[in-house]
Amino acid sequence: MAKLEAFDGKVPQIAADAWAHQTAVVIGDVTLGARSSVWPMCVLRGDIHRIEIGAETNIQDGSILHVSHDSRFMPGGAPLIIHDAVTVGHQVVLHGCEIQDHCLVGIGARVLDRAVLKPRTMLGAGALVTPGQVLEGGYLWLGAPARRARPLTDTEQEYLDYVAANYVRLSAGYRAERVGAAH
């Protein structure tokens, strides 16, 4: 299991059937939902605000998740909220944003404070979602800053569900290997 660290009296809450690789670091006010997974070398730092990750969501290798604190520059701060069945690709940076159900955030993408990805959004590799930007669901978004490229095809819509479910299956295998090795 991941390195879990308390901060400021808050301890990460990991669902019993979730999985986080032993090289992942999860700090402070972080909740990881049912059947979700966090892969090698990820950092989830809920030290100055909360990180909530829903069910059946995967955070892939090398991703960094952080938040913004309450200040006169950002009243109320910016928590990081990731809903259900979301795929966060390798080396993604998510900072104080909201990713709604059945989204895919492509490899190396960056999503900044108070940005929102509406349900069924596909964000391309390397894209940048600027602070406060709202991406409409059902579309592929590309570039820096991210711009709506085109509607998702039926196959891409199916892929959003497939990839999330595949990571649920894959992480269950890793959990089983870890449990088997402990006996």
Side-chain angles (χ1 to χ4, degrees):
M1 181 53 90
K3 179 178 171 74
L4 304 178
E5 293 183 22
F7 183 82
D8 199 24
K10 295 185 173 87
V11 179
Q13 302 298 308
I14 310 297
D17 58 354
W19 177 80
H21 189 268
Q22 64 188 1
T23 62
V25 178
V26 183
I27 302 169
D29 194 359
V30 177
T31 303
L32 183 61
R35 297 173 307 285
S36 285
S37 57
V38 177
W39 293 84
M41 306 304 288
C42 289
V43 176
L44 286 67
R45 188 158 58 95
D47 52 359
I48 54 176
H49 215 311
R50 73 187 187 284
I51 297 174
E52 298 175 11
I53 300 172
E56 300 184 356
T57 286
N58 61 89
I59 312 298
Q60 296 177 17
D61 313 61
S63 291
I64 299 171
L65 282 59
H66 196 229
V67 291
S68 286
H69 69 283
D70 178 28
S71 72
R72 70 183 180 94
F73 303 102
M74 186 164 295
L80 174 55
I81 312 296
I82 305 172
H83 294 252
D84 299 336
V86 171
T87 295
V88 175
H90 309 293
Q91 293 186 336
V92 165
V93 176
L94 300 178
H95 201 280
C97 57
E98 181 178 3
I99 313 294
Q100 296 181 354
D101 295 337
H102 302 278
C103 289
L104 184 145
V105 180
I107 293 170
R110 294 148 297 157
V111 185
L112 303 181
D113 289 340
R114 295 187 175 160
V116 178
L117 276 61
K118 295 292 190 174
R120 306 196 78 74
T121 294
M122 186 177 284
L123 182 63
L128 170 65
V129 182
T130 58
Q133 188 175 6
V134 177
L135 305 190
E136 183 180 357
Y139 292 91
L140 172 64
W141 293 77
L142 301 171
R147 295 192 186 341
R148 190 169 72 187
R150 61 172 171 74
L152 294 178
T153 66
D154 290 344
T155 301
E156 289 166 334
Q157 291 275 4
E158 289 176 31
Y159 184 71
L160 295 175
D161 300 325
Y162 166 80
V163 71
N166 188 57
Y167 267 88
V168 169
R169 285 189 294 277
L170 186 58
S171 66
Y174 274 83
R175 255 191 346 271
E177 290 280 330
R178 177 78 46 206
V179 169
H183 288 80

